[in-house]
Amino acid sequence: MKRVLFTSILILASIWCLAQKEKPVQDELPTENLAFNKDSNKKANKPKRKTYDVIYVPNANRILYGNKCATEETRKMGFEYLVEPPNISGSKTGKGKFINNLWVKTKLVFTRTPFWKMILNKKIKKCRTMSGDLVG
């Protein structure tokens, strides 16, 4: 009886796995272009990548750094958070970070809305509850 049950579960699992829609290979590979002809790697043939502005933060307390949903929400707004603790060699100075953050936040006020931060916090809170990061 146990053997029949085990084989039936195994058969159902294999059918379920075979019924899954497969992703194309291009989605899985990190390369930009898979063609091997001589024109494939020209700059004009490469896909366009969107560049995002950066807001520097000293710690990742409330930004859900690494949460895919939160990252997508910030990218929809047109920026990304970059965690950069103070006094690290090779990083921007405090004044440089302040000027950069001021520029990006002013740009967000005019391109999105003056309430962009409240809207983003609401979306990030929704991401927290959906991913289980919010306790209580």
Side-chain angles (χ1 to χ4, degrees):
M1 182 70 178
K2 290 181 182 179
R3 182 177 247 171
V4 173
L5 181 65
F6 178 72
T7 54
S8 63
I9 291 173
L10 186 64
I11 290 171
L12 288 175
S14 62
I15 291 172
W16 181 76
C17 290
L18 292 174
Q20 296 291 321
K21 184 177 179 183
E22 293 185 25
K23 293 182 180 178
V25 175
Q26 288 83 1
D27 291 346
E28 300 294 329
L29 294 176
T31 57
E32 293 178 352
N33 200 340
L34 296 177
F36 292 108
N37 56 7
K38 68 178 188 174
D39 294 334
S40 63
N41 291 323
K42 286 188 177 179
K43 189 173 184 179
N45 294 335
K46 289 183 181 179
K48 298 201 180 213
R49 292 186 180 184
K50 183 165 180 167
T51 56
Y52 299 103
D53 293 325
V54 175
I55 294 180
Y56 294 101
V57 292
N59 52 25
N61 283 346
R62 295 175 34 204
I63 60 171
L64 287 186
Y65 197 74
N67 189 320
K68 188 176 180 181
C69 175
T71 305
E72 287 174 3
E73 292 298 332
T74 57
R75 285 183 177 174
K76 285 179 189 175
M77 290 269 191
F79 75 96
E80 288 183 341
Y81 284 114
L82 180 66
V83 178
E84 193 172 279
N87 302 329
I88 290 184
S89 62
S91 66
K92 281 190 167 190
T93 61
K95 184 178 178 182
K97 290 177 191 178
F98 174 76
I99 291 172
N100 177 68
N101 290 350
L102 182 66
W103 167 250
V104 173
K105 290 177 182 180
T106 305
K107 186 177 169 184
L108 286 169
V109 166
F110 287 108
T111 57
R112 297 298 169 195
T113 177
F115 306 108
W116 68 270
K117 187 71 172 178
M118 290 185 343
I119 294 168
L120 182 66
N121 284 340
K122 188 175 184 180
K123 290 180 180 180
I124 286 179
K125 189 173 182 180
K126 186 176 179 183
C127 290
R128 286 184 91 152
T129 56
M130 285 178 22
S131 65
D133 287 342
L134 186 65
V135 179

